[in-house]
Amino acid sequence: MRPITVCPSTLALGFSTYCPLAKRLLFDGKAVSHIFPEMSPKDLDADRLQDTVQHIGRISLSGVQPKFSAIVGEDLRLRYTRDNERGHFILKPQPSSYHIINREFCAANESLTMQLASQVYRIETAANGLCFYENDETAYIRDCRKMLTSF
């Protein structure tokens, strides 16, 4: 796992996980890990991918980038939603489309854009940040419980 030195949400220096402000905004103050302890959708076997994709229909967002529904489990770790669960977070992993150049930067680009909108231009945005799969792949995460403005 690659070391990080900034908060994966607010970009504050000196943090190896979510800073206190990010924990408050994204996770209601809970100490949630920035590691998403499941495999990236592109690495899932066909059955597990089908099970995970089944819950995409519960998210209503436009755009071409794949979106998954996630929650914080009782162990304070992020995970994909399961049957009869309502997701609290929208998770956008790296797209798999071959025609997207530099697709490994899509999550970071969306997170940075949202942080600029919020921190520099004072545009009200939903709490958001990055999380990381165990293979170091980055995913964008956004709180959909308190979404105010979406881009």
Side-chain angles (χ1 to χ4, degrees):
M1 181 67 25
R2 82 180 109 164
I4 60 174
T5 58
V6 297
C7 170
S9 175
T10 66
L11 305 178
L13 293 172
F15 293 94
S16 60
T17 190
Y18 299 111
C19 70
L21 176 60
K23 289 176 190 175
R24 184 173 54 82
L25 294 174
L26 259 175
F27 306 114
D28 299 324
K30 296 176 186 153
V32 174
S33 173
H34 65 281
I35 305 298
F36 195 92
E38 297 195 37
M39 293 176 18
S40 165
K42 69 179 173 82
D43 295 332
L44 294 173
D45 63 52
D47 290 336
R48 181 68 175 111
L49 180 59
Q50 180 61 35
D51 184 52
T52 301
V53 168
Q54 174 181 332
H55 303 291
I56 292 175
R58 297 179 189 183
I59 299 173
S60 177
L61 286 176
S62 61
V64 297
Q65 193 172 341
K67 298 154 193 81
F68 293 85
S69 181
I71 64 169
V72 175
E74 290 182 17
D75 61 355
L76 297 181
R77 294 182 66 99
L78 292 162
R79 67 171 174 78
Y80 297 119
T81 55
R82 299 180 184 137
D83 285 339
N84 301 317
E85 290 180 328
R86 184 178 186 124
H88 296 163
F89 301 94
I90 296 164
L91 185 73
K92 294 169 86 174
Q94 173 180 311
S96 58
S97 302
Y98 69 90
H99 65 283
I100 298 175
I101 298 171
N102 297 324
R103 62 183 173 264
E104 67 275 14
F105 301 120
C106 286
N109 181 53
E110 187 158 359
S111 180
L112 178 60
T113 301
M114 293 296 280
Q115 291 305 315
L116 287 170
S118 175
Q119 294 183 41
V120 175
Y121 294 103
R122 302 291 183 220
I123 298 171
E124 213 170 12
T125 63
N128 65 86
L130 298 174
C131 63
F132 305 88
Y133 290 102
E134 291 181 339
N135 69 354
D136 280 345
E137 186 178 314
T138 307
Y140 173 75
I141 186 168
R142 180 169 72 181
D143 188 341
C144 62
R145 297 169 298 169
K146 315 173 240 192
M147 278 198 286
L148 303 170
T149 303
S150 61
F151 293 93

